[in-house]
Amino acid sequence: MVKQIKQSNLRIIPLGGLGEVGRNMTLFEYQGKILIVDMGFRMPEEDMPGVDYIIPNIAYLKGREKDVVGIVFTHGHYDHIGAIPYLLYRFPFQNYPFFASRLTRAIILKRQGDFPAQPKLDIEEVKDGSRIDLPPFRVEFVKQNHNIADNFGLLIRTPVGNIFHTSDFKFDQNPVYDLPTDFKKLKELGQQKILLLMSDSTGAEEDGHSLSEKEIFENLEKLFLEPKGRIIAVTFGSLINRIQQLVALSEKYGRKVAVDGYTMRTNVELCKNLGYIKARKWTFISPKEMQNYPDEKITFLCTGAQGEAEAILMRIANREYPYLKLKKADTVIFSSSVVPGNERTVQILKDELYRQKAKVFQYKMMDIHAGGHGQRKELEEIIKLLQPKFFLPIHGQYSMLVAHAELAKEVGIPEKNVVVAESGQIVNLNRGKIQLEHEVVPSNYVMVDGLGIGDVGEVVLRDRQMLAEDGMFVIVAVVDRQTGKVRSSPDIISRGFVYLRESKELLRDTRKRVIGIVNKTTGSGGAVNWVYVKNEIRDKIGEFLYHKTQRRPMILPVVIEI
Amino acid sequence: MVKQIKQSNLRIIPLGGLGEVGRNMTLFEYQGKILIVDMGFRMPEEDMPGVDYIIPNIAYLKGREKDVVGIVFTHGHYDHIGAIPYLLYRFPFQNYPFFASRLTRAIILKRQGDFPAQPKLDIEEVKDGSRIDLPPFRVEFVKQNHNIADNFGLLIRTPVGNIFHTSDFKFDQNPVYDLPTDFKKLKELGQQKILLLMSDSTGAEEDGHSLSEKEIFENLEKLFLEPKGRIIAVTFGSLINRIQQLVALSEKYGRKVAVDGYTMRTNVELCKNLGYIKARKWTFISPKEMQNYPDEKITFLCTGAQGEAEAILMRIANREYPYLKLKKADTVIFSSSVVPGNERTVQILKDELYRQKAKVFQYKMMDIHAGGHGQRKELEEIIKLLQPKFFLPIHGQYSMLVAHAELAKEVGIPEKNVVVAESGQIVNLNRGKIQLEHEVVPSNYVMVDGLGIGDVGEVVLRDRQMLAEDGMFVIVAVVDRQTGKVRSSPDIISRGFVYLRESKELLRDTRKRVIGIVNKTTGSGGAVNWVYVKNEIRDKIGEFLYHKTQRRPMILPVVIEI
């Protein structure tokens, strides 16, 4: 099948971000030349203990060093740039031109500071309207509203036609500290014949229009009117625009601003220096300086809205943060949503704040947060503005891609012109047709754990899950080579299984059984099959422990011959 | 402080369920006599791997065998009855009278069938309006709507005054297969002077009124009108009323009903036998028989709405369920909410159903599910109907208790008459005053894991978490007692840390270091401090592995002297 498709077609290969949230990275390939858009990571699932991030699988690029024409970034969020340092270990991306907005560039370079051994990146700054030639592609950067400044949609001109990639986006006619969406510009783009629209699906299951940042600002302001105590505001460290709003409100109501939490502090510092956060010279104080001001003159911005164990807000809740102990008059504002999967930890955190009598406000109680993603109204609107021939939903869980595809059909794009693809699939496109190729490229997870990239795989994860479930049980038997008998009592080391001190009888019985198994299986010494001996210990002791406890610890027999 | 409070006061001691969801069990103590209400369990948190359930801590009852006057159950959900078999191991509850509705009784006895070694329970059946004397208490059972039949609020007459315990409840003027809320009866109760209202807080953060089951029924019916394929309906196995609705709709639209999933099957069987699920004789078929009917004649009811790995729906999604393979025309209805913390697994499940082209409907898309708990309107209403002097919010996370307490104050109960208590606290009550005692009773978690009850504690859990995070690393060194030198190369057993086959160099370096550490710390043999040797291995190898991998596996050194 694939062979029949003409070489003159364009191939779009999402290495991540389709059928999942995060890890955005897409290849555009035409006659062997490859343009790369974004290099993001995503967070691990609950069943991936110990894993820091998941990054795109770039096996497809192996040996294609001469074919890459350039790398383009839409914006500075980690799900679009976070994989850079890890992927640099696996492919010489430093040899290609990077293109990014001023803020995105600064965030990427700042991050590279954490990887001092890596080669220097040369990133060319682009602006709204910038055009770059990366033959056979030409890329034009188009400002899109999101919740970070300098976010660009991409108009990619290719030999088969024009493609518009929305980046993450929402429409906002009343943003705060940002320009409103330029609908005229989008309409003009629509008149230039868009062959394919690749559009952000994150909000495709949400009805209506996303909240304007102006509404959020006004609601946040209500919370600044009354409090006699401190305002403790938590939001995502990457939500620069919201941080700016909170800083501005603090200035308006005569509050100093202290900031803590690594990402928050780093981002605020960087954005202040570049002018993306505007503040008066004396607004910011250090957390330690808070003690020098009355409570009602203080706003404290910090991380931890997801209930992360190590973040500042959790330390405050646990009474472990040195610069702030909660008081009854304090107000805690969660200007953030709960990332799916974090509901329980956020609830536990919130309960603890209530126990300490603080007033707590969050997005379910009033509109003090909006995501950065357009909802169905906006998704409909951008299709109407751009009038693409073909439609490919990007960014999101599979159910979101499906919902977005259905919406595109409702708006009038014929069913055959809409394709739902997942990471690793190949979208084949020419002027007349869009279709999925039958072949796929590798897109399985590459996991980052500490310094290891890709060395934690299925086996290691399965072991971790098993260890977590019922712990482990190591049996060390020293066996006399001559007689085949166990010398002294076997050692048992167990963790996460039962409380050993209260299980002496169980351990005694287990030792007896181990001795019996070894003595029986080794016979009278001689040529002993030690693998068999170990398997017998594993199976028989496993059964015995399960019978006694209904638990299945991982059993690891060690037989030492002497 | 406590001593000063007169013996003539009543003590209410929630052993669970306040400041948490589930594990409901409350003691009412007057002059040494104790009435018990409910004995439920709750599900573990995410940081409790391997734990099956959490049950109430009943240390307070120790030595109080002669004081218990009886045990009363509100309804048949496991968060109210699930701890019975586990608590029977710890206290001779079988020696006291149990009181429960017909359905609750049947569910308790059915469950006891899984614990054949336990003593027989003698449970007296009670009905709406039943009164039982358990001096000094008198309990009257008052029908309350919920999402299981035979749910009773309790009017507890005590020497200090009347207490009304709502049980889980909602108001429903149009329930399906159930009687509407009897507001007249509640109003009459209000005229009998209610000293204290203990009211369900689960819905206290939700505005408005809960959906009527009638609306849900009508919405579900819409989904039965069109499908040409099978209807696969998933809900909680304990949601008997919803199951009845789905059975009735299936009959109306000429569909046979097959049921699978342990709790669902058991409950349907039991409820059919008792008449709590009404169905025609030929409505139910076995899952295997589905193949004998056209798709549009089939409803399949199953478990797995929370994305549980072993449940039927997940097996269908994984194409592992023998009696049903999804087709494009099939409709999957989630008539259920997502339990907080399960969002990710449900999303992954849903995505898989979409991939297999099924149509999926869930409560966020249309009103096809309601919880069994009244929301703010109803909570307000019951306070107004009963006009209690004092108010104690029960059942729910701390934030819900706080929200409920605030609501009670808004409705007019004076602040000093409202108490927010948590599990383990003691509410002290007389005609004129309600207050928390300073002392608390033990209420820490008792965890059930397999056959073990309470043997998994903090230490075991912390080990499991650590094992899950970075795995483990066992080092077995055989040391010559004479020379103090390591004999041959140390054994290393590691799981969940790195992929060993690809880490040969790391293992070689580690072995070398272990030999070095042992040889150095044992000196020239003689009186060796083996604890010190092991600590040195643990610390030094820990540092080394962290330096190389940025991971901290649990390091377990075993030194064998020969």
Side-chain angles (χ1 to χ4, degrees), chain A residues 45 50 343-344 347 351 355 397 399 422 449 451 455 464 468-469 472 493 496 549-551 556 558, chain B residues 45 50 343-344 347 351 355 397 399 422 449 451 455 464 468-469 472 493 496 549-551 556 558:
Chain A
E45 296 287 349
E343 288 77 3
R344 287 297 306 159
Q347 176 70 50
D351 282 354
R355 281 191 188 98
Q397 295 289 149
S399 69
E422 286 202 83
D449 176 1
L451 294 183
D455 67 336
R464 286 182 186 176
E469 201 61 26
M472 54 92 159
I493 304 118
T549 64
Q550 300 264 312
R551 298 177 200 173
L556 299 163
V558 183
Chain B
E45 296 287 350
E343 289 76 3
R344 287 296 307 161
Q347 177 68 50
D351 282 353
R355 282 191 187 99
Q397 294 290 149
S399 69
E422 287 202 82
D449 177 1
L451 295 183
D455 66 336
R464 286 184 186 174
E469 201 61 27
M472 54 91 157
I493 303 119
T549 64
Q550 300 265 309
R551 299 177 200 173
L556 300 162
V558 183

Side-chain angles (χ1 to χ4, degrees), chain B residues 44-105:
Chain B
E45 296 287 350
E46 288 155 32
D47 59 353
M48 303 172 186
V51 173
D52 303 327
Y53 315 112
I54 305 171
I55 58 173
N57 190 319
I58 54 168
Y60 184 74
L61 289 177
K62 208 173 168 190
R64 303 292 298 273
E65 284 77 3
K66 62 179 200 321
D67 300 328
V68 174
V69 297
I71 304 151
V72 165
F73 294 93
T74 56
H75 64 291
H77 281 159
Y78 276 11
D79 52 337
H80 294 260
I81 62 162
I84 295 172
Y86 307 110
L87 294 180
L88 273 170
Y89 288 113
R90 313 199 131 197
F91 191 89
F93 288 109
Q94 70 274 14
N95 299 337
Y96 305 89
F98 279 42
F99 299 90
S101 68
R102 183 151 172 259
L103 179 58
T104 307
R105 178 176 181 276

